[in-house]
Short mmCIF file of all heavy atoms in Angstrom, two decimals:
data_model
loop_
_atom_site.label_atom_id
_atom_site.label_comp_id
_atom_site.label_asym_id
_atom_site.label_seq_id
_atom_site.Cartn_x
_atom_site.Cartn_y
_atom_site.Cartn_z
N MET A 1 14.91 25.33 -5.23
CA MET A 1 14.40 24.64 -4.00
C MET A 1 13.13 23.73 -4.40
O MET A 1 12.23 24.22 -5.17
CB MET A 1 13.95 25.60 -2.95
CG MET A 1 13.64 25.02 -1.69
SD MET A 1 13.81 25.95 -0.22
CE MET A 1 13.39 27.72 -0.79
N ALA A 2 13.29 22.42 -3.88
CA ALA A 2 12.15 21.56 -4.23
C ALA A 2 11.05 21.74 -3.22
O ALA A 2 11.27 22.11 -2.12
CB ALA A 2 12.72 20.19 -4.32
N LYS A 3 9.85 21.20 -3.59
CA LYS A 3 8.72 21.05 -2.72
C LYS A 3 8.58 19.63 -2.40
O LYS A 3 8.76 18.70 -3.31
CB LYS A 3 7.35 21.54 -3.39
CG LYS A 3 7.49 22.93 -3.92
CD LYS A 3 7.31 23.95 -2.76
CE LYS A 3 7.34 25.39 -3.28
NZ LYS A 3 7.36 26.33 -2.13
N VAL A 4 8.34 19.34 -1.04
CA VAL A 4 8.33 17.92 -0.70
C VAL A 4 7.00 17.70 0.13
O VAL A 4 6.65 18.56 0.94
CB VAL A 4 9.53 17.50 0.01
CG1 VAL A 4 9.83 18.33 1.28
CG2 VAL A 4 9.48 16.00 0.34
N LEU A 5 6.38 16.58 -0.02
CA LEU A 5 5.20 16.20 0.74
C LEU A 5 5.44 14.78 1.24
O LEU A 5 5.79 13.91 0.48
CB LEU A 5 3.88 16.23 -0.13
CG LEU A 5 2.72 15.48 0.45
CD1 LEU A 5 2.04 16.40 1.54
CD2 LEU A 5 1.77 15.10 -0.67
N ARG A 6 5.26 14.68 2.49
CA ARG A 6 5.25 13.30 3.17
C ARG A 6 3.84 12.85 3.28
O ARG A 6 3.05 13.54 4.10
CB ARG A 6 6.00 13.31 4.44
CG ARG A 6 7.51 13.54 4.21
CD ARG A 6 8.38 13.57 5.51
NE ARG A 6 9.81 13.88 5.07
CZ ARG A 6 10.25 14.96 4.71
NH1 ARG A 6 9.48 16.18 4.71
NH2 ARG A 6 11.50 15.13 4.29
N CYS A 7 3.52 11.69 2.66
CA CYS A 7 2.14 11.28 2.77
C CYS A 7 1.65 11.18 4.26
O CYS A 7 0.61 11.43 4.58
CB CYS A 7 2.08 9.91 2.10
SG CYS A 7 0.41 9.36 1.79
N ARG A 8 2.59 10.74 5.09
CA ARG A 8 2.27 10.50 6.57
C ARG A 8 1.68 11.74 7.13
O ARG A 8 0.82 11.80 8.08
CB ARG A 8 3.53 10.04 7.25
CG ARG A 8 3.33 9.65 8.64
CD ARG A 8 4.70 9.31 9.18
NE ARG A 8 5.46 8.17 8.56
CZ ARG A 8 5.12 6.94 8.78
NH1 ARG A 8 4.36 6.61 9.68
NH2 ARG A 8 5.83 5.96 8.09
N ASP A 9 2.17 12.94 6.67
CA ASP A 9 1.71 14.21 7.24
C ASP A 9 0.25 14.49 7.01
O ASP A 9 -0.37 15.34 7.68
CB ASP A 9 2.53 15.47 6.71
CG ASP A 9 3.95 15.31 7.26
OD1 ASP A 9 4.22 14.64 8.18
OD2 ASP A 9 4.85 16.08 6.66
N VAL A 10 -0.25 13.85 5.97
CA VAL A 10 -1.71 14.04 5.59
C VAL A 10 -2.60 13.08 6.47
O VAL A 10 -3.83 13.25 6.59
CB VAL A 10 -1.92 13.80 4.22
CG1 VAL A 10 -3.37 14.39 3.72
CG2 VAL A 10 -0.95 14.66 3.33
N GLY A 11 -1.92 11.94 6.99
CA GLY A 11 -2.77 11.10 7.76
C GLY A 11 -2.41 9.62 7.70
O GLY A 11 -2.20 8.96 8.66
N PRO A 12 -2.41 9.13 6.42
CA PRO A 12 -2.15 7.73 6.43
C PRO A 12 -0.88 7.24 6.84
O PRO A 12 0.14 7.95 6.80
CB PRO A 12 -2.33 7.33 4.80
CG PRO A 12 -2.76 8.55 4.17
CD PRO A 12 -2.39 9.81 5.07
N ASP A 13 -0.75 6.01 7.38
CA ASP A 13 0.49 5.42 7.79
C ASP A 13 1.26 4.92 6.41
O ASP A 13 1.12 3.80 6.15
CB ASP A 13 0.29 4.35 8.75
CG ASP A 13 1.49 3.82 9.40
OD1 ASP A 13 2.69 4.47 9.20
OD2 ASP A 13 1.59 2.76 9.99
N CYS A 14 1.94 5.87 5.92
CA CYS A 14 2.48 5.58 4.54
C CYS A 14 3.83 6.32 4.44
O CYS A 14 3.98 7.43 4.89
CB CYS A 14 1.49 6.16 3.51
SG CYS A 14 2.11 6.04 1.84
N ASP A 15 4.80 5.60 3.90
CA ASP A 15 6.17 6.11 3.86
C ASP A 15 6.42 6.90 2.46
O ASP A 15 7.55 7.31 2.32
CB ASP A 15 7.17 5.07 4.00
CG ASP A 15 7.26 4.49 5.41
OD1 ASP A 15 6.98 5.38 6.32
OD2 ASP A 15 7.47 3.33 5.63
N ALA A 16 5.39 7.04 1.70
CA ALA A 16 5.63 7.73 0.40
C ALA A 16 6.05 9.17 0.59
O ALA A 16 5.43 9.84 1.39
CB ALA A 16 4.39 7.63 -0.42
N VAL A 17 7.01 9.64 -0.23
CA VAL A 17 7.39 10.97 -0.30
C VAL A 17 7.23 11.52 -1.65
O VAL A 17 7.81 10.88 -2.61
CB VAL A 17 8.79 11.25 0.27
CG1 VAL A 17 9.28 12.64 0.10
CG2 VAL A 17 8.95 10.69 1.65
N VAL A 18 6.58 12.64 -1.91
CA VAL A 18 6.42 13.22 -3.26
C VAL A 18 7.32 14.42 -3.23
O VAL A 18 7.13 15.25 -2.37
CB VAL A 18 4.95 13.58 -3.50
CG1 VAL A 18 4.86 14.25 -4.78
CG2 VAL A 18 4.05 12.36 -3.53
N ARG A 19 8.14 14.46 -4.27
CA ARG A 19 9.11 15.63 -4.34
C ARG A 19 8.97 16.20 -5.78
O ARG A 19 9.09 15.36 -6.77
CB ARG A 19 10.52 15.06 -4.17
CG ARG A 19 11.40 16.01 -3.71
CD ARG A 19 12.90 15.40 -3.42
NE ARG A 19 13.08 15.20 -1.99
CZ ARG A 19 13.09 13.98 -1.35
NH1 ARG A 19 12.72 12.91 -2.11
NH2 ARG A 19 13.35 13.89 -0.08
N ALA A 20 8.87 17.45 -5.97
CA ALA A 20 8.80 18.10 -7.25
C ALA A 20 9.20 19.50 -7.17
O ALA A 20 9.45 20.07 -6.10
CB ALA A 20 7.27 17.96 -7.75
N GLU A 21 9.38 20.07 -8.38
CA GLU A 21 9.82 21.51 -8.49
C GLU A 21 8.81 22.47 -8.02
O GLU A 21 9.21 23.55 -7.53
CB GLU A 21 10.28 21.79 -9.88
CG GLU A 21 11.60 21.22 -10.27
CD GLU A 21 12.78 21.48 -9.36
OE1 GLU A 21 12.97 22.74 -9.21
OE2 GLU A 21 13.46 20.55 -8.83
N THR A 22 7.54 22.27 -8.23
CA THR A 22 6.53 23.23 -7.94
C THR A 22 5.39 22.54 -7.06
O THR A 22 5.27 21.30 -7.08
CB THR A 22 5.87 23.75 -9.17
OG1 THR A 22 5.13 22.66 -9.81
CG2 THR A 22 6.88 24.35 -10.20
N GLU A 23 4.63 23.36 -6.42
CA GLU A 23 3.58 22.92 -5.58
C GLU A 23 2.51 22.22 -6.49
O GLU A 23 2.01 21.25 -6.06
CB GLU A 23 2.95 24.14 -4.86
CG GLU A 23 1.94 23.75 -3.82
CD GLU A 23 1.51 24.96 -3.09
OE1 GLU A 23 2.03 25.31 -2.04
OE2 GLU A 23 0.37 25.64 -3.47
N ASP A 24 2.24 22.82 -7.67
CA ASP A 24 1.24 22.19 -8.55
C ASP A 24 1.72 20.81 -8.88
O ASP A 24 0.81 19.93 -9.02
CB ASP A 24 1.20 22.98 -9.78
CG ASP A 24 0.23 24.23 -9.49
OD1 ASP A 24 -0.43 24.30 -8.43
OD2 ASP A 24 0.18 25.07 -10.42
N GLU A 25 2.94 20.60 -9.10
CA GLU A 25 3.43 19.33 -9.54
C GLU A 25 3.27 18.31 -8.38
O GLU A 25 2.91 17.13 -8.65
CB GLU A 25 4.84 19.41 -10.08
CG GLU A 25 5.49 18.06 -10.60
CD GLU A 25 4.69 17.54 -11.88
OE1 GLU A 25 4.03 18.30 -12.60
OE2 GLU A 25 4.65 16.34 -11.99
N VAL A 26 3.66 18.78 -7.11
CA VAL A 26 3.40 17.87 -5.97
C VAL A 26 1.97 17.47 -5.82
O VAL A 26 1.60 16.35 -5.61
CB VAL A 26 4.02 18.58 -4.66
CG1 VAL A 26 3.64 17.85 -3.48
CG2 VAL A 26 5.50 18.89 -4.78
N LEU A 27 1.09 18.48 -5.98
CA LEU A 27 -0.28 18.20 -5.88
C LEU A 27 -0.84 17.20 -6.88
O LEU A 27 -1.66 16.29 -6.67
CB LEU A 27 -1.18 19.53 -6.03
CG LEU A 27 -0.93 20.41 -4.72
CD1 LEU A 27 -1.70 21.77 -5.07
CD2 LEU A 27 -1.66 19.89 -3.50
N LYS A 28 -0.27 17.28 -8.14
CA LYS A 28 -0.63 16.39 -9.19
C LYS A 28 -0.19 14.98 -8.89
O LYS A 28 -0.96 13.96 -8.84
CB LYS A 28 -0.06 16.89 -10.45
CG LYS A 28 -0.43 15.99 -11.77
CD LYS A 28 0.00 16.74 -12.95
CE LYS A 28 0.27 15.78 -14.11
NZ LYS A 28 1.72 15.46 -14.32
N GLN A 29 1.09 14.83 -8.43
CA GLN A 29 1.59 13.47 -8.15
C GLN A 29 0.95 12.91 -6.87
O GLN A 29 0.73 11.77 -6.77
CB GLN A 29 3.10 13.66 -7.91
CG GLN A 29 3.82 13.79 -9.24
CD GLN A 29 5.37 13.88 -8.94
OE1 GLN A 29 5.97 13.15 -8.12
NE2 GLN A 29 6.03 14.53 -9.73
N ALA A 30 0.65 13.76 -5.88
CA ALA A 30 -0.01 13.41 -4.68
C ALA A 30 -1.37 12.84 -4.94
O ALA A 30 -1.87 11.86 -4.36
CB ALA A 30 0.03 14.54 -3.64
N GLY A 31 -2.03 13.57 -5.86
CA GLY A 31 -3.41 13.15 -6.21
C GLY A 31 -3.36 11.76 -6.91
O GLY A 31 -4.30 10.92 -6.57
N GLU A 32 -2.49 11.55 -7.74
CA GLU A 32 -2.40 10.27 -8.35
C GLU A 32 -2.02 9.11 -7.31
O GLU A 32 -2.53 8.05 -7.32
CB GLU A 32 -1.30 10.19 -9.50
CG GLU A 32 -1.69 10.92 -10.71
CD GLU A 32 -0.58 11.33 -11.59
OE1 GLU A 32 0.57 10.98 -11.41
OE2 GLU A 32 -0.84 12.00 -12.62
N HIS A 33 -1.14 9.57 -6.33
CA HIS A 33 -0.79 8.53 -5.34
C HIS A 33 -1.97 8.24 -4.43
O HIS A 33 -2.33 7.08 -4.09
CB HIS A 33 0.33 9.21 -4.42
CG HIS A 33 0.68 8.43 -3.26
ND1 HIS A 33 1.49 7.31 -3.29
CD2 HIS A 33 0.29 8.58 -1.94
CE1 HIS A 33 1.60 6.88 -2.03
NE2 HIS A 33 0.89 7.62 -1.20
N ALA A 34 -2.75 9.29 -4.01
CA ALA A 34 -3.82 9.18 -3.17
C ALA A 34 -4.93 8.17 -3.82
O ALA A 34 -5.52 7.37 -3.17
CB ALA A 34 -4.53 10.48 -2.86
N GLN A 35 -5.14 8.34 -5.13
CA GLN A 35 -6.11 7.50 -5.85
C GLN A 35 -5.61 6.06 -5.96
O GLN A 35 -6.30 5.22 -5.71
CB GLN A 35 -6.41 8.09 -7.28
CG GLN A 35 -7.43 9.14 -7.21
CD GLN A 35 -7.74 9.67 -8.65
OE1 GLN A 35 -6.86 9.88 -9.48
NE2 GLN A 35 -9.01 9.79 -8.89
N SER A 36 -4.27 5.93 -6.52
CA SER A 36 -3.86 4.63 -6.91
C SER A 36 -3.48 3.80 -5.61
O SER A 36 -3.82 2.56 -5.55
CB SER A 36 -2.71 4.66 -7.80
OG SER A 36 -1.64 5.30 -7.25
N VAL A 37 -2.92 4.40 -4.63
CA VAL A 37 -2.43 3.70 -3.39
C VAL A 37 -3.51 3.64 -2.41
O VAL A 37 -3.73 2.58 -1.77
CB VAL A 37 -1.15 4.34 -2.89
CG1 VAL A 37 -0.69 3.57 -1.67
CG2 VAL A 37 -0.01 4.27 -3.95
N HIS A 38 -4.16 4.74 -2.14
CA HIS A 38 -5.15 4.80 -0.94
C HIS A 38 -6.59 4.73 -1.38
O HIS A 38 -7.52 4.73 -0.61
CB HIS A 38 -4.90 6.05 -0.17
CG HIS A 38 -3.46 6.22 0.40
ND1 HIS A 38 -2.95 5.30 1.38
CD2 HIS A 38 -2.50 7.03 0.06
CE1 HIS A 38 -1.76 5.57 1.55
NE2 HIS A 38 -1.30 6.57 0.81
N GLY A 39 -6.78 4.70 -2.69
CA GLY A 39 -8.27 4.56 -3.16
C GLY A 39 -9.06 5.83 -2.80
O GLY A 39 -10.28 5.68 -2.64
N LEU A 40 -8.42 6.91 -2.71
CA LEU A 40 -9.18 8.17 -2.25
C LEU A 40 -9.60 8.93 -3.38
O LEU A 40 -8.86 9.07 -4.50
CB LEU A 40 -8.18 9.07 -1.44
CG LEU A 40 -7.85 8.56 0.09
CD1 LEU A 40 -6.83 9.46 0.57
CD2 LEU A 40 -9.13 8.56 0.81
N GLU A 41 -10.72 9.67 -3.31
CA GLU A 41 -11.18 10.53 -4.24
C GLU A 41 -10.48 11.82 -4.03
O GLU A 41 -10.39 12.22 -2.93
CB GLU A 41 -12.70 10.76 -4.15
CG GLU A 41 -13.29 11.37 -5.32
CD GLU A 41 -14.83 11.59 -5.15
OE1 GLU A 41 -15.43 10.90 -4.24
OE2 GLU A 41 -15.37 12.52 -5.72
N VAL A 42 -10.05 12.64 -5.06
CA VAL A 42 -9.26 13.73 -4.80
C VAL A 42 -10.21 15.00 -4.79
O VAL A 42 -10.64 15.39 -5.81
CB VAL A 42 -8.15 14.05 -5.93
CG1 VAL A 42 -7.39 15.22 -5.64
CG2 VAL A 42 -7.27 12.76 -5.95
N THR A 43 -10.62 15.29 -3.57
CA THR A 43 -11.53 16.42 -3.39
C THR A 43 -10.85 17.68 -3.15
O THR A 43 -9.73 17.65 -2.84
CB THR A 43 -12.52 16.05 -2.14
OG1 THR A 43 -11.63 16.00 -1.06
CG2 THR A 43 -13.26 14.77 -2.31
N ALA A 44 -11.56 18.77 -3.19
CA ALA A 44 -10.96 20.17 -2.84
C ALA A 44 -10.42 20.13 -1.41
O ALA A 44 -9.37 20.67 -1.21
CB ALA A 44 -12.04 21.18 -2.99
N GLU A 45 -11.19 19.43 -0.63
CA GLU A 45 -10.64 19.36 0.86
C GLU A 45 -9.34 18.65 0.97
O GLU A 45 -8.56 19.06 1.74
CB GLU A 45 -11.73 18.67 1.77
CG GLU A 45 -13.08 19.46 2.00
CD GLU A 45 -14.03 19.54 0.84
OE1 GLU A 45 -13.83 18.68 -0.16
OE2 GLU A 45 -14.82 20.36 0.73
N LEU A 46 -9.32 17.55 0.23
CA LEU A 46 -8.08 16.80 0.28
C LEU A 46 -6.88 17.59 -0.30
O LEU A 46 -5.77 17.67 0.29
CB LEU A 46 -8.26 15.47 -0.58
CG LEU A 46 -6.93 14.59 -0.57
CD1 LEU A 46 -6.57 14.10 0.83
CD2 LEU A 46 -7.20 13.41 -1.49
N VAL A 47 -7.13 18.35 -1.33
CA VAL A 47 -6.10 19.13 -2.00
C VAL A 47 -5.69 20.14 -1.00
O VAL A 47 -4.46 20.35 -0.89
CB VAL A 47 -6.55 19.73 -3.30
CG1 VAL A 47 -5.53 20.81 -3.78
CG2 VAL A 47 -6.76 18.73 -4.41
N GLU A 48 -6.51 20.75 -0.29
CA GLU A 48 -6.20 21.82 0.68
C GLU A 48 -5.33 21.20 1.80
O GLU A 48 -4.38 21.85 2.33
CB GLU A 48 -7.47 22.42 1.34
CG GLU A 48 -7.88 23.72 0.55
CD GLU A 48 -6.62 24.65 0.27
OE1 GLU A 48 -6.15 25.13 1.31
OE2 GLU A 48 -6.38 24.93 -0.87
N ALA A 49 -5.81 20.02 2.31
CA ALA A 49 -5.04 19.36 3.36
C ALA A 49 -3.67 19.06 3.03
O ALA A 49 -2.72 19.23 3.83
CB ALA A 49 -5.80 18.09 3.82
N VAL A 50 -3.48 18.67 1.70
CA VAL A 50 -2.17 18.34 1.25
C VAL A 50 -1.30 19.64 1.06
O VAL A 50 -0.26 19.69 1.48
CB VAL A 50 -2.28 17.52 -0.16
CG1 VAL A 50 -0.94 17.50 -0.82
CG2 VAL A 50 -2.86 16.24 0.01
N ARG A 51 -2.07 20.68 0.52
CA ARG A 51 -1.21 21.85 0.33
C ARG A 51 -0.60 22.44 1.66
O ARG A 51 0.46 22.99 1.59
CB ARG A 51 -2.19 22.98 -0.38
CG ARG A 51 -1.48 24.10 -0.89
CD ARG A 51 -2.53 25.24 -1.26
NE ARG A 51 -3.49 24.77 -2.29
CZ ARG A 51 -3.32 24.90 -3.69
NH1 ARG A 51 -2.19 25.38 -4.05
NH2 ARG A 51 -4.22 24.56 -4.42
N LYS A 52 -1.31 22.27 2.66
CA LYS A 52 -0.95 22.80 3.98
C LYS A 52 0.41 22.13 4.50
O LYS A 52 1.08 22.79 5.27
CB LYS A 52 -2.04 22.58 4.98
CG LYS A 52 -3.06 23.67 4.99
CD LYS A 52 -4.13 23.49 6.04
CE LYS A 52 -5.38 24.35 5.79
NZ LYS A 52 -6.57 23.76 6.25
N VAL A 53 0.59 20.92 4.02
CA VAL A 53 1.76 20.16 4.63
C VAL A 53 2.85 20.02 3.62
O VAL A 53 3.95 19.33 3.89
CB VAL A 53 1.36 18.78 5.21
CG1 VAL A 53 0.43 18.94 6.33
CG2 VAL A 53 0.80 17.92 4.15
N ILE A 54 2.77 20.70 2.51
CA ILE A 54 3.93 20.76 1.47
C ILE A 54 4.95 21.69 2.20
O ILE A 54 4.68 22.72 2.64
CB ILE A 54 3.44 21.31 0.12
CG1 ILE A 54 2.47 20.16 -0.53
CG2 ILE A 54 4.63 21.48 -0.73
CD1 ILE A 54 1.88 20.72 -1.80
N LYS A 55 6.24 21.14 2.22
CA LYS A 55 7.20 21.93 2.65
C LYS A 55 8.40 22.18 1.69
O LYS A 55 8.53 21.38 0.74
CB LYS A 55 7.94 21.10 3.87
CG LYS A 55 6.88 20.85 4.96
CD LYS A 55 7.63 20.47 6.18
CE LYS A 55 6.65 20.48 7.41
NZ LYS A 55 5.44 19.58 7.15
N ASP A 56 9.17 23.22 1.89
CA ASP A 56 10.24 23.55 1.05
C ASP A 56 11.37 22.66 1.46
O ASP A 56 11.51 22.34 2.58
CB ASP A 56 10.71 25.00 1.18
CG ASP A 56 9.65 25.95 0.61
OD1 ASP A 56 9.07 25.62 -0.44
OD2 ASP A 56 9.51 27.07 1.13
N GLU A 57 12.12 22.25 0.57
CA GLU A 57 13.28 21.43 0.84
C GLU A 57 14.58 22.11 0.52
O GLU A 57 14.75 22.81 -0.58
CB GLU A 57 13.17 20.04 0.14
CG GLU A 57 14.16 19.11 0.61
CD GLU A 57 14.00 17.74 -0.07
OE1 GLU A 57 14.06 17.73 -1.26
OE2 GLU A 57 13.69 16.72 0.64
ZN1 ZN B 1 0.47 7.36 0.73
#
């Protein structure tokens, strides 16, 4: 079962979807996406917010 994160669920109006085998991998890819696309600093708070909206697919 894959883990999936929809960027929109974290807040930004963004159609990006991150899909990976593990939660850690989703968090890693989402962190890179947040930095490169949204110019966000990846804080512990951001990681927690993202972790809450990761879903099983
Ligand atoms: Zn995004």
Side-chain angles (χ1 to χ4, degrees):
M1 188 157 31
K3 302 287 183 184
V4 62
L5 166 75
R6 287 174 183 81
C7 191
R8 190 184 297 278
D9 289 345
V10 192
D13 188 12
C14 173
D15 288 326
V17 178
V18 176
R19 203 178 261 105
E21 286 303 306
T22 66
E23 188 175 270
D24 282 350
E25 185 60 29
V26 171
L27 288 171
K28 181 167 157 261
Q29 289 184 29
E32 286 165 6
H33 172 82
Q35 275 185 317
S36 64
V37 178
H38 300 295
L40 289 172
E41 195 185 337
V42 181
T43 59
E45 288 77 15
L46 181 61
V47 171
E48 265 316 296
V50 168
R51 194 190 298 273
K52 278 182 194 147
V53 297
I54 292 176
K55 302 200 168 53
D56 292 326
E57 190 177 60

